[in-house]
Amino acid sequence: MSIEITVLFDVVPDRMDAVTAAFKDLCAATREEEGALRFDAFRSGEHPDVVVLVEDWADQEAIDLHMKEPYVADFLARTEGAFVRPPYVHRLRALDA
């Protein structure tokens, strides 16, 4: 069974353009990873300063490898100070699981 994760980022309003560019680069690189089944970023329609990241991973090893990639470090450097608070990370589990 894969690991589904949703992450909500509250972006400092004047940093949205830079954050959007960083997410686009991160998503493009991550989608090339063997264990990344899905990695998509969205801007909330109801909350314009919120970015939602939707991830689906083959297993924990794939996540661990992803976190060691240089483009993840680059994303973190490019977005440093761009979020109002730490992201809300949700590892999803089906209600009938």
Side-chain angles (χ1 to χ4, degrees):
M1 177 180 276
S2 67
I3 300 170
E4 296 178 71
I5 301 172
T6 301
V7 187
L8 281 69
F9 297 85
D10 291 318
V11 180
V12 173
D14 67 351
R15 297 284 306 272
M16 184 56 83
D17 288 343
V19 166
T20 297
F23 267 111
K24 286 180 179 180
D25 291 344
L26 178 66
C27 288
T30 301
R31 288 185 192 120
E32 299 299 317
E33 294 179 40
E34 184 176 330
L37 305 177
R38 180 177 184 184
F39 201 89
D40 296 310
F42 301 90
R43 192 163 181 181
S44 171
E46 289 75 28
H47 305 282
D49 298 325
V50 172
V51 171
V52 179
L53 184 61
V54 179
E55 308 174 35
D56 193 8
W57 296 95
D59 52 31
Q60 185 61 48
E61 182 180 4
I63 296 170
D64 295 343
L65 290 171
H66 166 72
M67 295 306 294
K68 295 175 184 174
E69 292 289 351
Y71 46 82
V72 173
D74 179 64
F75 170 81
L76 295 173
R78 290 171 65 187
T79 60
E80 185 174 352
F83 304 118
V84 175
R85 63 185 56 81
Y88 296 102
V89 179
H90 302 274
R91 281 186 175 239
L92 305 178
R93 184 181 52 174
L95 293 176
D96 60 353

